[in-house]
Amino acid sequence: MRRISPDTKPLVVVLVGLPARGKTYIGRKIARYLSWLGYSTRVFNIGEYRRERLGTHLRQDWFDATHAEGSAARSEMAQAALADLLAFLKGGGDVGIYDATNATRARRDEVAERCTSKGCQVVFVESICEDPTLIEANIRETKLRSPDYAGVDPEEAARDFRARIDHCARVYEPIQDDPLSYIKLIDFGRLMVVHRIHGHVPGKIVSFLMNLHLVRRPVWLTRHGESEFNREGRIGGDPDLTADGDKYARVLAYFVREKSVTPPVIWCSTLRRAVQTTRHMPLRALQWRALDEIDAGTCDGMTYDEIEAQLPKEYADRAADKLNYRYPRGESYADVIQRLEPVIIETERQTSPVLIVAHLAVLRALYAYFTDQKPEECLTMEVPFNTVIELKPGPYGFDERRHVLDLNG
Amino acid sequence: MRRISPDTKPLVVVLVGLPARGKTYIGRKIARYLSWLGYSTRVFNIGEYRRERLGTHLRQDWFDATHAEGSAARSEMAQAALADLLAFLKGGGDVGIYDATNATRARRDEVAERCTSKGCQVVFVESICEDPTLIEANIRETKLRSPDYAGVDPEEAARDFRARIDHCARVYEPIQDDPLSYIKLIDFGRLMVVHRIHGHVPGKIVSFLMNLHLVRRPVWLTRHGESEFNREGRIGGDPDLTADGDKYARVLAYFVREKSVTPPVIWCSTLRRAVQTTRHMPLRALQWRALDEIDAGTCDGMTYDEIEAQLPKEYADRAADKLNYRYPRGESYADVIQRLEPVIIETERQTSPVLIVAHLAVLRALYAYFTDQKPEECLTMEVPFNTVIELKPGPYGFDERRHVLDLNG
């Protein structure tokens, strides 16, 4: 475990809220963020336990608190999911996210008691939303696509789901005067109440949730246009664009103009080839040092062949552990991920489309975050030139499209 | 400016709260933390403007809203402090902290309007506390020591100050439904309400305030006992303690036992010489990688003379900019500060005494934080062996004592 603090215990994040309040969305986002930062994190979703054990045919009446069989089965599955979560933490996991309604104070006290007795820290995250438009949108976009309603008429499904919410609302007790550590999220980040939250990872969760919103805007990732060094196969440096590189800058500007309904946010690194790639844009790009290419230290300006021939040990070390290998006087991928964290938080915060013009190593690390992969899974991925990778958030996760731009288009 | 995000504006933190609610304490802590992280930060305290312009003789009636002359003067000084704050930001400052009561909604709207019109981001931080014990303690510990009451009988001064609070309380409007970005701190961190807070630095402030408390416990900083490398003048490595080093470990354990009323938290690095220095402690030390000595990379194991002779360019580069100089394959002081941030947050969170057994570069960086100095001011400070630096928080800042331990004691 990446225990950054000596008294850090494994953490249980307990979601709380009525159905269609975005619990699953919030849980998955927290999981993605913490995994990317290197914490072993897993979501335990009670709905998946139900579907796996009982199938997808159950309708609203089964979710009524007075439905004896339903109540017993739901309680039993809640226990099973929590048991699996605690086993995951015992086996070396850092953070377990418990995705269930946890609607009553008694239930929350029981969960807290059980986790605490296993030596875990517990933080409750309650999502409150009374905005009927947001709730209805959530039902339409996530619940109707659930396997629970496969093949069911959408209106019928929505009615059924609303009845399911009503059953839960009858017994629901919002967190109030609970002596627990909790974060209350009201209307997805407009207002947040933070009660007895301490420690490093809980603090990171608060910062992350503070920037949450529901606007679906694309993130566009692209490498800079071709540079002089690219043509020579050298790494690093601060070369200018070639004529082809400038052509890409032109078609990229055209792409952004065509695709943007609202004015986009344009970010690039501080390196010349990235800044030049944004020079024909309708809006001025803002430069981030955090987007600069991985610092190759004393290998800056060399080709990979030269490194292999002149510094065989460096070459071999890098091949052996690309994530943690640090160039002499330079950086590792792990260093790059650390400095990219503010870029992630700022991207999450933006409600406009975001275009990021950067470099191979940086884009691999960003891509891993947006596609919910571990960084080590993306360290060798291809990021072709003259291509915009479009990542558009869906209800859960991202849809990906690749736009290969024609330089003579 | 260290603008970590491209659209980062200079930030104004506006404190809000009745007198004796710890506004100045909170403001100074935020300033210390952000300065240490490299942001140019300054506090503008309206009480200091008043004392400077009008002296320290004013009594409670002057603070009554119906005191025409007092009201006019206070309003004029509030304007002057805010004008100075905005000039500081315009001149390249990153964060200005406005330490005044800002008691009414009208006043807050006016402040927000003025800052926003100057292109600044504004975050309000309101401190609410209704616990009479905490308030009385605050009056006794900070207000009675203020120059305002120099030479005044303490009971008389406390009465006067309570009357001053009452004047303010009559017009005070807590933040409520204000469409502002705000953080409401209730009872110094027990409960926190966060409204429309976005961005990197405001997020850091939230995380920092989440860990605030008022318990005064000492922080003890010490180097490990003498190591084999120390004797040979070599840097880095992972050597064992010498016999003298072990003697220090014994007297240090004795010191900790004698000095601790409550069981201390004992932290050390993961390096052998630090771990061994804690081996006679009454409690097991917890090891942090973040406390490991600055990584000297390829210079690890060399003496400074060897570096000067064999790597004169490295030696000169380091002398030219010690904060940012990064050892080949190793770290810079700036890297060390970055990895120490969680140690700072965790130390702030602790309510027990904290003993930190670490290394020269790491202790310099920590010392800078606790004594409210810029890291660059501490890069050459001596941290003698066999010495415990005791830093004890006072109402504002720290008191320092150095305990030189006798190895044969």
Side-chain angles (χ1 to χ4, degrees):
Chain A
M1 158 150 189
R2 204 180 142 220
R3 296 248 163 91
I4 195 149
S5 152
D7 57 348
T8 303
K9 298 170 177 174
L11 177 66
V12 183
V13 176
V14 182
L15 298 169
V16 176
L18 289 171
R21 263 62 180 183
K23 289 190 301 299
T24 298
Y25 176 74
I26 292 163
R28 289 193 191 185
K29 285 209 97 157
I30 295 173
R32 176 165 67 133
Y33 172 63
L34 295 180
S35 295
W36 185 73
L37 287 175
Y39 297 95
S40 164
T41 308
R42 197 178 297 167
V43 178
F44 296 81
N45 175 304
I46 197 178
E48 287 169 14
Y49 279 74
R50 172 176 49 75
R51 280 187 284 276
E52 199 170 288
R53 295 177 177 205
L54 304 174
T56 55
H57 64 286
L58 298 162
R59 288 294 162 262
Q60 53 89 5
D61 57 313
W62 190 83
F63 294 88
D64 189 331
T66 63
H67 190 293
E69 192 195 318
S71 285
R74 282 183 290 121
S75 165
E76 195 265 321
M77 281 179 298
Q79 302 296 345
L82 187 56
D84 287 351
L85 183 153
L86 291 168
F88 162 71
L89 296 180
K90 201 178 172 193
D94 298 324
V95 184
I97 298 176
Y98 187 38
D99 181 2
T101 50
N102 297 301
T104 66
R105 180 161 179 172
R107 175 67 189 143
R108 293 191 292 268
D109 286 348
E110 192 189 320
V111 170
E113 160 62 26
R114 192 150 161 220
C115 297
T116 311
S117 75
K118 300 285 180 192
C120 300
Q121 186 187 358
V122 187
V123 168
F124 289 81
V125 176
E126 182 179 29
S127 176
I128 299 229
C129 175
E130 297 308 330
D131 182 335
T133 321
L134 283 179
I135 296 168
E136 191 63 22
N138 191 301
I139 294 174
R140 302 265 157 201
E141 292 198 347
T142 69
K143 303 307 172 187
L144 302 195
R145 294 180 194 179
S146 150
D148 287 353
Y149 296 115
V152 177
D153 167 69
E155 290 313 313
E156 170 54 30
R159 254 195 310 278
D160 185 83
F161 198 80
R162 280 191 293 263
R164 202 199 275 189
I165 297 177
D166 290 342
H167 292 313
C168 191
R170 271 190 290 276
V171 297
Y172 190 73
E173 300 162 333
I175 294 182
Q176 205 157 24
D177 305 322
D178 294 25
L180 310 165
S181 292
Y182 63 80
I183 301 166
K184 228 183 226 287
L185 258 185
I186 296 156
D187 298 341
F188 297 99
R190 181 181 60 79
L191 185 69
M192 209 159 111
V193 178
V194 177
H195 183 253
R196 293 192 192 282
I197 295 286
H198 306 287
H200 188 71
V201 176
K204 286 213 166 292
I205 294 173
V206 169
S207 311
F208 183 73
L209 292 179
M210 265 167 35
N211 292 293
L212 205 69
H213 61 72
L214 296 172
V215 182
R216 306 258 171 86
R217 76 284 172 275
V219 173
W220 294 311
L221 304 178
T222 182
R223 295 178 77 167
H224 53 82
E226 186 195 61
S227 76
E228 304 287 356
F229 269 38
N230 293 141
R231 197 160 268 187
E232 297 156 18
R234 301 193 178 279
I235 64 173
D238 195 9
D240 291 312
L241 290 186
T242 62
D244 272 358
D246 188 64
K247 276 189 189 167
Y248 181 63
R250 286 184 191 279
V251 295
L252 181 64
Y254 183 77
F255 171 88
V256 168
R257 236 187 312 256
E258 286 297 293
K259 288 290 235 172
S260 304
V261 182
T262 51
V265 169
I266 304 172
W267 293 341
C268 61
S269 79
T270 66
L271 296 168
R272 246 183 254 162
R273 56 197 184 277
V275 176
Q276 290 172 4
T277 302
T278 68
R279 67 182 159 197
H280 305 297
M281 290 287 160
L283 291 162
R284 209 166 66 85
L286 289 152
Q287 300 172 19
W288 286 67
R289 284 185 65 84
L291 289 174
D292 282 3
E293 182 54 314
I294 188 169
D295 181 351
T298 55
C299 295
D300 192 80
M302 295 172 81
T303 67
Y304 287 115
D305 288 346
E306 285 167 357
I307 298 173
E308 188 173 10
Q310 296 167 30
L311 301 163
K313 179 148 184 345
E314 297 296 332
Y315 195 83
D317 285 354
R318 183 158 186 273
D321 182 1
K322 203 168 172 183
L323 181 62
N324 295 303
Y325 168 81
R326 186 176 265 166
Y327 279 107
R329 300 295 299 272
E331 290 179 305
S332 65
Y333 266 94
D335 293 334
V336 170
I337 287 166
Q338 207 178 3
R339 71 163 145 94
L340 282 175
E341 198 190 344
V343 177
I344 292 298
I345 295 281
E346 288 296 318
T347 310
E348 287 292 353
R349 183 161 80 86
Q350 296 299 327
T351 51
S352 309
V354 179
L355 169 70
I356 298 179
V357 179
H359 309 268
L360 183 58
V362 164
L363 292 171
R364 283 172 173 163
L366 293 174
Y367 183 85
Y369 174 79
F370 288 114
T371 58
D372 199 5
Q373 295 179 77
K374 294 206 172 111
E376 45 270 48
E377 288 164 15
C378 297
L379 300 184
T380 56
M381 76 171 268
E382 292 277 344
V383 184
F385 279 108
N386 305 332
T387 303
V388 178
I389 301 177
E390 178 175 78
L391 299 165
K392 210 167 176 178
Y396 305 124
F398 268 76
D399 294 332
E400 174 169 352
R401 271 187 71 183
R402 296 198 174 210
H403 303 273
V404 181
L405 306 191
D406 180 354
L407 294 198
N408 303 306
Chain B
M1 157 151 188
R2 204 182 143 221
R3 297 250 161 90
I4 194 149
S5 151
D7 56 348
T8 303
K9 298 170 177 174
L11 177 66
V12 184
V13 176
V14 182
L15 298 169
V16 177
L18 288 171
R21 263 61 178 183
K23 290 190 300 299
T24 299
Y25 176 74
I26 292 164
R28 289 193 191 184
K29 286 210 96 156
I30 295 174
R32 175 166 65 133
Y33 172 64
L34 295 180
S35 295
W36 185 75
L37 287 175
Y39 297 96
S40 164
T41 307
R42 197 178 297 167
V43 178
F44 296 80
N45 175 305
I46 195 177
E48 287 169 15
Y49 279 74
R50 172 175 49 76
R51 281 186 283 274
E52 198 170 289
R53 295 178 177 205
L54 304 174
T56 56
H57 64 287
L58 297 162
R59 289 294 162 262
Q60 53 89 6
D61 57 312
W62 191 82
F63 294 88
D64 189 333
T66 64
H67 190 293
E69 193 194 316
S71 285
R74 282 182 290 120
S75 164
E76 195 265 321
M77 282 179 297
Q79 302 295 345
L82 187 56
D84 287 352
L85 184 153
L86 291 168
F88 162 72
L89 295 181
K90 201 179 174 192
D94 297 324
V95 184
I97 298 176
Y98 187 39
D99 182 2
T101 50
N102 297 302
T104 64
R105 180 161 179 171
R107 174 67 188 142
R108 293 190 292 269
D109 286 348
E110 192 189 320
V111 170
E113 160 62 25
R114 190 148 162 222
C115 297
T116 311
S117 75
K118 299 285 179 190
C120 300
Q121 187 186 357
V122 187
V123 169
F124 288 81
V125 176
E126 182 179 30
S127 176
I128 299 228
C129 175
E130 297 307 332
D131 181 335
T133 320
L134 282 178
I135 296 167
E136 191 62 24
N138 191 300
I139 293 174
R140 301 266 157 197
E141 293 198 345
T142 68
K143 302 307 173 186
L144 302 194
R145 295 179 193 181
S146 150
D148 286 354
Y149 296 116
V152 177
D153 167 68
E155 290 314 313
E156 170 55 30
R159 254 195 310 278
D160 185 84
F161 197 82
R162 280 193 292 263
R164 202 200 275 188
I165 297 176
D166 290 342
H167 292 314
C168 191
R170 271 190 289 277
V171 297
Y172 190 73
E173 299 162 334
I175 295 182
Q176 203 157 27
D177 304 322
D178 294 24
L180 310 165
S181 293
Y182 64 80
I183 301 167
K184 226 183 228 287
L185 259 185
I186 296 157
D187 297 341
F188 298 100
R190 181 181 60 78
L191 185 71
M192 209 160 115
V193 178
V194 176
H195 182 252
R196 293 191 193 282
I197 295 286
H198 306 287
H200 188 70
V201 176
K204 285 211 166 294
I205 294 173
V206 169
S207 310
F208 183 73
L209 293 179
M210 264 168 33
N211 291 293
L212 205 68
H213 61 72
L214 297 171
V215 182
R216 305 255 172 88
R217 76 284 170 275
V219 173
W220 294 311
L221 304 178
T222 183
R223 295 178 77 165
H224 54 83
E226 186 196 60
S227 77
E228 304 288 353
F229 269 39
N230 293 140
R231 198 160 267 188
E232 297 157 18
R234 303 195 175 277
I235 64 172
D238 195 9
D240 290 313
L241 290 186
T242 63
D244 273 357
D246 188 63
K247 277 188 189 168
Y248 181 64
R250 284 184 191 278
V251 295
L252 181 64
Y254 183 77
F255 170 89
V256 168
R257 236 187 311 255
E258 286 297 293
K259 287 290 231 173
S260 303
V261 182
T262 51
V265 169
I266 304 172
W267 294 341
C268 61
S269 79
T270 66
L271 295 167
R272 246 183 255 163
R273 58 196 183 278
V275 175
Q276 289 172 3
T277 302
T278 67
R279 67 182 158 197
H280 305 298
M281 291 288 161
L283 292 162
R284 210 165 66 84
L286 290 152
Q287 300 173 19
W288 287 67
R289 285 185 65 85
L291 288 174
D292 283 2
E293 182 54 314
I294 188 169
D295 182 351
T298 54
C299 295
D300 192 79
M302 294 172 83
T303 66
Y304 288 115
D305 287 346
E306 286 168 357
I307 298 173
E308 188 172 10
Q310 297 167 29
L311 301 162
K313 178 144 183 351
E314 297 296 331
Y315 194 84
D317 284 353
R318 183 158 186 274
D321 182 3
K322 203 167 171 183
L323 181 63
N324 295 303
Y325 169 80
R326 185 176 267 166
Y327 280 107
R329 297 297 298 270
E331 291 178 303
S332 64
Y333 266 95
D335 293 334
V336 170
I337 287 166
Q338 206 177 5
R339 71 163 145 93
L340 282 175
E341 199 191 343
V343 177
I344 292 297
I345 295 280
E346 288 295 317
T347 309
E348 288 290 355
R349 183 162 81 86
Q350 295 299 327
T351 52
S352 310
V354 179
L355 169 69
I356 298 179
V357 179
H359 309 267
L360 183 58
V362 164
L363 292 170
R364 283 172 174 162
L366 292 174
Y367 183 85
Y369 174 79
F370 287 115
T371 59
D372 199 3
Q373 295 178 78
K374 292 203 173 117
E376 44 270 48
E377 288 163 17
C378 297
L379 299 185
T380 56
M381 77 172 267
E382 291 277 344
V383 184
F385 279 108
N386 306 332
T387 303
V388 178
I389 302 177
E390 177 175 80
L391 299 165
K392 210 168 175 176
Y396 306 123
F398 268 77
D399 294 331
E400 175 169 351
R401 271 187 70 183
R402 295 198 174 210
H403 304 272
V404 181
L405 305 191
D406 179 356
L407 293 198
N408 303 307

